[in-house]
Amino acid sequence: MKNMTRKVGVLSLIMVAIGTTAVFASGQQGGAQGSDRYAIVFKSTGNPFGERLMSGYESGIKEQGFTAILRAPDLPTAEAQIQMVEQLIAQRVAGICIVGNDFDALQPVLTKAKNQGIKVVSADSSVNPASRLLHVNQADSEKIGQTLVEAAYDLTGGSGEIAILSATSQASNQNLWIDYMKKELAKPQYSGLNLVKVAYGDDLRDKSVSETEGLLLSYPNLKCIIAPTTVGIAAAGKVISDKGLQGKVAITGLGLPSEMGEYIENGACPYMYLWNPIDLGYLASYAVSALVSGKISGKTGEGFTAARLGTYTVIQAPDGGTEILLGPPFKFDKANINDWKNVY
Ligand code: RAM
């Protein structure tokens, strides 16, 4: 019942998002410098996860009576995001939520934004603590790494070659999860698993397909691909299905149910994990406005309410900065994928 209510809520958010364009007029004024405009800059266009994240941000911003500005470069580079942030500074926005293409490279431009009174948070893929006031994290990063290694162990029967198919080599969220995966793999109970390669599909569909094909060619005994990216896991699911390799090479990782339903049903991906990207964007919108209104300053122990999601507390992040956590990731498998594939 609780799930059902949540699904109906999410569906109506998607419907609201579909009927709107990128920038929205709104009423009430507020925020730094009297601006009511709140921007989000995602990693790149053409990523369905990013579209859902931005739609959640937009709905949260609009619900508060402000104006949302949604931006994403064509390619997932820090350089392109730096230019976008420069433009947003010139537009004198009240707040910026950045989904970083690099941990450190955006620091000068985000510092410039902060020095002009613009409140900066990162979400999903963090920028370094000096570049942000807080990070809006989807789930505990260490737990994500551990969970994905446990899945690979389970799907391989505990031994054999495994590979990781990531996004870009600079993506801080993927890199953090991969670090935790490597730490986990170093534990004695995983000594039978051999990580043969970390490949980078750059969150581009075609590159992720060719990287998957490359892994299969180079490692004919490969038993599992962990893709901690929704673009990568969907590409890997397609390759495994097209080649009929279900049962030989298992895919797991982080995927959108809407893109992975077919591959979960046909066995290419026995199970995978994710959180609600719409909720993540929505939570980020309330975190930025809480900073703009002065309810919080981004320090550990502070709390704020994110409307329909409830109350959140700022905690210490593993990188030395602060963060808020949306909640634990959700497991999708054959038993529940039908309930979720039309939701996000
Ligand atoms: C991709 C992006 C995003 C990540 C998800 C899991 O869509 O790289 O940053 O959080 O996968």
Side-chain angles (χ1 to χ4, degrees):
M1 189 60 211
K2 201 175 162 202
N3 265 355
M4 208 51 216
T5 317
R6 199 163 160 230
K7 272 187 257 171
V8 171
V10 169
L11 272 179
S12 42
L13 280 179
I14 292 173
M15 286 162 73
V16 168
I18 286 167
T20 51
T21 50
V23 181
F24 303 88
S26 71
Q28 152 188 357
Q29 292 288 306
Q33 305 158 346
S35 167
D36 74 339
R37 284 165 297 170
Y38 289 74
I40 181 165
V41 182
F42 187 68
K43 288 175 164 179
S44 60
T45 51
N47 180 336
F49 177 94
E51 283 155 15
R52 283 155 182 78
L53 182 102
M54 288 195 288
S55 83
Y57 185 81
E58 174 199 333
S59 67
I61 290 296
K62 287 182 76 186
E63 183 177 276
Q64 298 173 78
F66 303 134
T67 301
I69 301 176
L70 317 181
R71 293 276 184 272
D74 290 341
L75 290 174
T77 67
E79 293 69 30
Q81 288 188 317
I82 289 167
Q83 282 182 16
M84 286 182 167
V85 174
E86 287 285 8
Q87 289 161 4
L88 294 168
I89 294 172
Q91 285 179 259
R92 300 172 68 81
V93 296
I96 297 174
C97 171
I98 182 97
V99 182
N101 281 325
D102 192 286
F103 193 59
D104 296 312
L106 287 121
Q107 187 175 334
V109 78
L110 292 174
T111 304
K112 180 174 169 188
K114 284 201 295 175
N115 288 344
Q116 299 198 19
I118 298 172
K119 303 300 180 192
V120 176
V121 305
S122 52
D124 177 50
S125 189
S126 61
V127 290
N128 68 24
S131 310
R132 66 180 206 239
L133 292 166
L134 61 80
H135 177 57
V136 184
N137 202 353
Q138 39 275 59
D140 183 278
S141 303
E142 183 174 18
K143 190 90 186 91
I144 292 174
Q146 288 172 343
T147 303
L148 295 182
V149 168
E150 271 166 34
Y153 182 87
D154 173 43
L155 294 170
T156 56
S159 67
E161 294 183 352
I162 65 168
I164 294 173
L165 173 66
S166 188
T168 67
S169 61
Q170 300 302 313
S172 64
N173 54 343
Q174 269 86 21
N175 285 347
L176 188 60
W177 300 329
I178 292 169
D179 279 352
Y180 280 123
M181 282 187 234
K182 287 181 175 167
K183 277 189 192 137
E184 195 63 11
L185 283 167
K187 292 183 179 167
Q189 68 261 41
Y190 295 119
S191 61
L193 292 179
N194 178 17
L195 175 63
V196 290
K197 176 149 181 157
V198 180
Y200 297 94
D202 292 353
D203 269 354
L204 301 172
R205 176 87 177 173
D206 290 350
K207 181 151 193 253
S208 304
V209 164
S210 58
E211 288 294 327
T212 307
E213 289 168 344
L215 286 173
L216 297 175
L217 270 177
S218 306
Y219 304 99
N221 297 322
L222 197 65
K223 284 171 88 175
C224 177
I225 298 175
I226 304 175
T229 142
T230 58
V231 179
I233 197 173
K238 179 172 168 29
V239 173
I240 296 301
S241 304
D242 287 353
K243 294 186 184 298
L245 290 175
Q246 295 97 310
K248 183 171 186 301
V249 184
I251 306 295
T252 191
L254 305 172
L256 278 172
S258 55
E259 295 192 301
M260 292 298 293
E262 183 187 342
Y263 310 131
I264 287 187
E265 273 157 12
N266 76 12
C269 173
Y271 57 87
M272 61 170 199
Y273 298 83
L274 200 70
W275 42 88
N276 186 328
I278 302 167
D279 286 352
L280 184 64
Y282 183 87
L283 175 58
S285 82
Y286 275 88
V288 186
S289 67
L291 287 161
V292 170
S293 69
K295 253 181 239 154
I296 60 170
S297 64
K299 292 200 175 59
T300 311
E302 294 174 338
F304 67 97
T305 301
R308 66 175 170 80
L309 293 179
T311 300
Y312 288 82
T313 303
V314 180
I315 59 170
Q316 187 69 39
D319 61 14
T322 60
E323 67 180 14
I324 47 172
L325 287 183
L326 177 68
F330 192 81
K331 182 177 179 182
F332 300 97
D333 58 17
K334 268 190 188 153
N336 64 16
I337 193 68
N338 264 324
D339 298 339
W340 290 97
K341 65 184 184 192
N342 296 320
V343 182
Y344 59 82

